[in-house]
Amino acid sequence: MESLDEAYQQRYGQEAPSQRDSLLPFLQHRSIRRYTDETIKDDLWDLCKAAAQSAATSSNLQTWSAVEVAKGPTRDRLADLCGNQKQVSAAARFVVFLGDLHRLESFAKQHDIEATGLPTAEMFIVAVVDAALAAERMVCAAESQDLGICYIGGIRNHPREVAELLGLPRLTAPIFGLTFGYPAPSGASIKPKLRQSEVFFEEKYGTPSSAEYDARIAEFFKAQGMDASEPWSFKSAQRARIEGLSGRENLIDFLREQGFLDH
Ligand SMILES: Cc1cc2nc3c(=O)[nH]c(=O)nc-3n(C[C@H](O)[C@H](O)[C@H](O)COP(=O)(O)O)c2cc1C
C-alpha cells in the first residue's frame, strides 16, 4: 500500500502539497481486473450499498437502480456480452448500474400525472449522473475496505441482450457494470493522470496539450511491460472516430426503444 505522497507522485509525477493521510483511499484507486476467490461478507456488502445510496441525487429523485448477478450461467453470459471479459465471471460480486426513470413513471401513473418530461435529454442526463455518483461512492467505500473494483462499459455492447437477461422494463438502461473483489497479488499500479492544470481551469477554459502527459504515461506503460509505441493522445484520438465505438454508436436506437431521449 502506498503512502499519500507515493500515490500523488504516481498520479502526477510531482510531490504532494501536504500529507493528509485520511485522503489516501481517494487517491489510491486503480482498476482491478484480477481477483482472489475470497467472498465479500454480507455485512460489508450492505454497507457498500448504503454508501451508494448516500450519494447526492438530483432533487432526491434517486433515478438509478442496480442489478447484482450472482456467479453462474447468467453472469458468464454477461461476461461474453461485455466483450468476453473474464473478470465479470470471476469477481466476487458483479453489479449492473441502471439509469432508471421507470420508477418515476410508475409513481406518475399512480398519481395520475402524465410523465411527459421523462423522454427528454435532461432526464436522461439526470439518470446517468445519478447512477454514476452512486456507483462511485460505492467504489470509494469498497476501496477503503481493501476491495478492488473495475467499471465495465462493455455492458453497453449488446444492450438488448442485457436488458432481456436482466428483465429490464422501459425507461431503464444499463449504464455500466462494476466488478468487486479482493485484488489478486498482481501489482496493478496507480495510473498517471493529466496534470491538474490540464483539467482544472481558472476563470476560462484553457488550451488542451498532451506532450507532457504522453511522455509520462508512456513511461508508465513501459514499466508495466505494455505497448507504448503510440502516444496516449493518438490512441485516445482514435476513440473519437465512430469505428472506435465498437458498435455502441447505435445505442441511441436501444435507448429510444426503452422510452428515453425522444426529445
Ligand atoms: C464507465 C467506465 C467504463 C469502463 N469500462 C471498462 C471495461 O469494460 N473493461 C475494463 O477492463 N475497464 C473498464 N474501465 C476502466 C478504465 O479503463 C480505467 O478506469 C482507466 O483506464 C483508468 O485506469 P484506473 O481506473 O486504473 O485509474 C471503465 C471505466 C469507466 C469509468
Side-chain angles (χ1 to χ4, degrees):
M1 198 204 269
E2 299 84 5
S3 67
L4 184 98
D5 200 40
E6 285 164 344
Y8 196 96
Q9 274 285 353
Q10 289 173 36
R11 197 63 85 198
Y12 296 123
Q14 290 175 328
E15 228 172 81
S18 64
Q19 295 299 319
R20 295 177 189 264
D21 289 340
S22 59
L23 293 181
L24 183 58
F26 299 95
L27 270 67
Q28 260 188 330
H29 162 77
R30 81 275 330 251
S31 292
I32 298 296
R33 299 180 175 87
R34 294 203 318 115
Y35 299 103
T36 68
D37 291 335
E38 190 175 345
T39 56
I40 301 171
K41 297 227 162 36
D42 286 342
D43 65 315
L44 171 56
W45 191 237
D46 181 302
L47 290 169
C48 289
K49 291 195 274 196
Q53 289 198 270
S54 301
T57 153
S58 208
S59 307
N60 198 28
L61 293 178
Q62 306 174 59
T63 55
W64 63 278
S65 301
V67 182
E68 183 179 352
V69 181
K71 280 188 180 179
T74 305
R75 176 100 79 88
D76 293 344
R77 179 68 190 133
L78 287 173
D80 287 345
L81 292 171
C82 290
N84 197 18
Q85 297 201 51
K86 300 281 178 246
Q87 52 158 317
V88 171
S89 290
R93 307 253 186 180
F94 179 65
V95 182
V96 180
F97 275 78
L98 311 173
D100 184 354
L101 300 177
H102 179 78
R103 196 162 35 230
L104 201 46
E105 186 183 49
S106 75
F107 297 155
K109 278 191 189 133
Q110 190 182 314
H111 293 288
D112 236 353
I113 291 168
E114 264 194 275
T116 47
L118 297 185
T120 55
E122 165 61 14
M123 289 306 291
F124 181 68
I125 290 177
V126 163
V128 173
V129 170
D130 269 6
L133 294 181
E136 185 59 11
R137 188 155 282 246
M138 187 169 178
V139 163
C140 289
E143 290 181 335
S144 78
Q145 299 298 302
D146 300 326
L147 286 164
I149 68 94
C150 189
Y151 282 89
I152 305 291
I155 204 75
R156 301 190 302 274
N157 288 1
H158 299 284
R160 288 181 192 81
E161 289 89 335
V162 170
E164 174 77 30
L165 278 172
L166 303 184
L168 300 189
R170 60 175 258 111
L171 288 170
T172 61
I175 308 301
F176 45 74
L178 259 182
T179 59
F180 292 84
Y182 290 95
S186 63
S189 299
I190 291 178
K191 198 177 264 180
K193 294 282 164 72
L194 291 162
R195 287 265 159 87
Q196 290 186 2
S197 57
E198 297 289 339
V199 177
F200 288 91
F201 302 126
E202 284 174 21
E203 307 301 336
K204 284 199 192 312
Y205 195 88
T207 309
S209 63
S210 67
E212 187 277 335
Y213 185 62
D214 276 337
R216 191 156 44 88
I217 197 158
E219 285 309 310
F220 169 82
F221 286 138
K222 275 187 224 154
Q224 298 280 303
M226 293 161 75
D227 178 28
S229 54
E230 292 171 329
W232 168 84
S233 57
F234 174 72
K235 282 200 278 192
S236 300
Q238 287 181 319
R239 295 295 296 267
R241 296 159 63 230
I242 199 156
E243 294 79 4
L245 290 174
S246 322
R248 293 188 209 166
E249 64 275 13
N250 299 320
L251 199 58
I252 186 85
D253 298 334
F254 165 76
L255 292 173
R256 288 197 168 131
E257 285 161 29
Q258 288 293 94
F260 290 107
L261 286 172
D262 193 33
H263 54 284

